[in-house]
């Protein structure tokens, strides 16, 4: 019985599966040691040549060369193992180029990938590395700042299994830094001004959009109200006017008009129970001109979290502002409209 068990264990442990749940197709070139006894780890650098990006080949390669000379690194590997660095240019830190360079690196029998570092490029490559090679090719990167990349990566079911983030900081940390400041001063809502395609040198395309996405994700979790303002959709207004619009319209509720229960105004969606109710609206408004700060042309942003979406005009310019009626019903109507 004991012998049977040992045989069973041996048979089972000899049967390795990869993330595709099939037996790996052996590729001889993936062996670290070749037939003539030379042992080499082939490491692929998947980074852009363009030095606009913080992590680029001309910057990172010398760092690796220096690191390899350090005793700690040298002692970490047996002396008979050599290293071979191969460079692959991920043009523009672009996702498509990243995938094709990863395929090239795989065909060249690389054992480990360093990079890509831009988030979109990294996402495309990191999703497939678990299926490459006999048991997946490990990917080490200082990128991966968006919150998706901080999810667990312990088995084949996890999206970015085989990826290792070596960077000290991600967008989540930055988000919680700001959230902690808000908590400290007891600030409860914020206007999120964002230029989606700025700071591309940090994480490639849409760096700021991804930062905002991450930030918005944790603001929701922490029940902090935010209004997104994507500066690229300016609605034909300059910054001064837009700032007035976003701050005036969304943050001074006491001066917004009563829509008489029509309910087409976009109130901020998330209102935690702890938020104090706005001051009561002055109710004796008879003419449009008496309504302070009211802009009949006011546009409402879409409820899209990223401020992407279309803006729509709520009323034609010529339409008169509805005159609120001072009744308990109007108050009631307003209260019911506020909830969502
Ligand atoms: C490097 O990348 C930046 C940003 O994408 C681009 O504006 C610039 O033209 C690129 N430079 C070269 C030499 O390709
Ligand atoms: C924005 O537009 C307003 C109204 O057209 C104008 O008065 C103001 O000077 C402009 N501000 C800037 C910074 O251009």
């Amino acid at each position: 019985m004991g012998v049977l068990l040992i045989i069973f264990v041996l048979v089972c442990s000899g049967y390795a599966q990869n993330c595709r749940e099939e037996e790996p197709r052996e590729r001889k070139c993936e062996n670290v040691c070749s037939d003539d006894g030379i042992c080499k780890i082939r490491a692929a650098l998947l980074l852009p040549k363009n030095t606009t990006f913080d992590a680029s080949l001309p910057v990172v390669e010398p760092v690796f060369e220096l690191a390899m000379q350090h005793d700690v690194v040298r002692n970490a590997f047996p002396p008979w193992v050599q290293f071979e660095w191969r460079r692959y240019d991920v043009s523009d830190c672009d996702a498509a180029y990243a995938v094709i360079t990863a395929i090239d690196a795989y065909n060249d029998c690389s054992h480990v990938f360093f990079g890509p570092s831009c988030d979109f490029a990294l996402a495309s490559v990191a999703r497939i590395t678990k299926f490459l090679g006999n048991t997946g090719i490990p990917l080490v990167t200082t990128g991966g700042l968006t919150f998706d990349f901080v999810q667990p990566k312990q088995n084949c079911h996890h999206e970015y299994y085989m990826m290792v983030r070596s960077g000290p900081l991600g967008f989540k940390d930055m988000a919680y830094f700001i959230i902690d400041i808000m908590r400290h001063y007891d600030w409860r809502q914020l206007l999120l001004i964002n230029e989606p395609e700025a700071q591309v040198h940090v994480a490639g395309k849409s760096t700021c959009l991804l930062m905002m996405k991450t930030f918005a994700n944790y603001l929701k979790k922490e029940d902090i109200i935010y209004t997104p303002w994507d500066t690229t959709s300016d609605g034909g207004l300059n910054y001064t006017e837009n700032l007035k619009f976003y701050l005036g319209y969304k943050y001074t509720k006491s001066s917004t008009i009563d829509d008489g229960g029509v309910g087409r105004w976009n109130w901020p969606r998330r209102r935690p129970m702890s938020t104090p109710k706005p001051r009561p609206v002055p109710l004796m408004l008879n003419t449009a001109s008496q309504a302070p700060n009211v802009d009949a042309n006011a546009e409402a942003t879409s409820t899209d979290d990223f401020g992407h979406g279309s803006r729509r005009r709520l009323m034609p310019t010529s339409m008169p502002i509805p005159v609120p009626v001072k009744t308990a019903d109007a108050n009631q109507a307003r209260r019911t409209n506020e909830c969502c």
Side-chain angles (χ1 to χ4, degrees):
M1 191 61 194
V3 174
L4 261 183
L5 196 70
I6 288 171
I7 289 172
F8 180 74
V9 169
L10 280 180
V11 167
C12 285
S13 58
Y15 177 75
Q17 276 194 334
N18 58 17
C19 283
R20 296 169 83 177
E21 296 184 349
E22 39 184 61
E23 253 184 291
R25 283 170 235 178
E26 294 289 338
R27 288 204 309 166
K28 206 146 184 248
C29 77
E30 276 181 30
N31 296 341
V32 173
C33 294
S34 62
D35 290 341
D36 45 10
I38 297 171
C39 299
K40 235 187 229 174
I41 292 178
R42 285 175 295 275
L45 282 179
L46 309 178
L47 293 169
K49 269 203 184 114
N50 187 337
T51 48
T52 304
F53 299 98
D54 288 349
S56 61
L57 283 174
V59 172
V60 172
E61 216 176 5
V63 175
F64 273 113
E65 271 162 27
L66 269 183
M68 293 309 290
Q69 289 167 18
H70 199 279
D71 284 344
V72 172
V73 177
R74 282 224 302 252
N75 294 337
F77 298 95
W80 39 267
V81 170
Q82 302 170 18
F83 266 88
E84 184 182 330
W85 295 94
R86 297 187 178 187
R87 332 153 73 224
Y88 298 86
D89 177 19
V90 178
S91 306
D92 276 338
C93 226
D94 175 79
Y97 283 104
V99 172
I100 197 67
T101 52
I103 291 172
D104 288 346
Y106 170 68
N107 287 336
D108 293 343
C109 301
S110 301
H111 295 112
V112 55
F113 292 169
F114 289 91
S117 68
C118 296
D119 277 18
F120 279 124
L122 175 63
S124 324
V125 175
R127 279 192 191 109
I128 56 167
T129 50
K130 61 183 170 186
F131 302 118
L132 299 179
N134 286 343
T135 50
I137 295 180
L139 188 162
V140 184
T141 181
T142 53
L145 304 175
T146 310
F147 67 97
D148 307 50
F149 294 108
V150 296
Q151 309 299 344
K153 307 174 205 55
Q154 267 113 34
N155 60 50
C156 285
H157 300 292
H158 294 139
E159 189 170 18
Y160 299 115
Y161 180 53
M162 296 306 281
M163 183 191 115
V164 176
R165 283 168 77 235
S166 61
L169 200 70
F171 291 157
K172 181 183 177 183
D173 309 289
M174 288 159 72
Y176 271 98
F177 170 69
I178 304 172
I179 289 171
D180 285 347
I181 292 180
M182 302 225 12
R183 287 269 152 77
H184 179 82
Y185 290 105
D186 201 20
W187 294 336
R188 286 146 201 258
Q189 45 181 328
L190 61 99
L191 176 60
L192 210 46
I193 307 174
N194 184 262
E195 188 185 337
E197 296 302 325
Q199 309 284 336
V200 287
H201 61 94
V202 178
K205 284 192 188 93
S206 307
T207 297
C208 280
L209 176 70
L210 292 172
M211 168 63 207
M212 172 137 137
K213 193 175 152 188
T214 305
F215 193 24
N217 185 54
Y218 293 108
L219 285 175
K220 269 186 250 179
K221 215 176 193 163
E222 302 295 328
D223 254 349
I224 294 174
I225 300 171
Y226 64 93
T227 310
W229 168 15
D230 175 347
T231 54
T232 55
S233 96
D234 60 7
L237 304 174
N238 65 28
Y239 280 170
T240 319
E241 291 163 323
N242 263 315
L243 197 57
K244 257 190 215 161
F245 164 69
Y246 280 98
L247 287 178
Y249 172 60
K250 297 273 186 184
Y251 289 81
T252 53
K253 282 194 73 177
S254 60
S255 63
T256 53
I257 55 171
D258 190 315
D259 65 2
V262 180
R264 291 167 67 204
W265 296 95
N266 268 331
W267 303 111
R269 281 189 302 161
R270 281 162 289 276
R271 176 181 295 283
M273 297 319 284
S274 59
T275 310
K277 284 278 169 203
R279 276 172 292 142
V281 182
L283 286 167
M284 292 310 290
L285 300 176
N286 293 324
T287 62
S289 62
Q290 272 177 273
N293 288 349
V294 169
D295 181 4
N297 295 324
E299 294 161 290
T301 45
S302 77
T303 50
D304 178 351
D305 288 336
F306 311 129
H308 250 159
S310 54
R311 296 146 146 258
R312 55 200 163 85
R313 295 221 169 247
L314 290 172
M315 296 178 199
T317 320
S318 57
M319 193 189 254
I321 296 172
V323 179
V325 192
K326 184 187 179 172
T327 58
D329 290 350
N331 268 331
Q332 188 59 43
R334 190 179 316 110
R335 246 177 268 118
T336 47
N337 282 333
E338 262 168 21
C339 72
C340 326

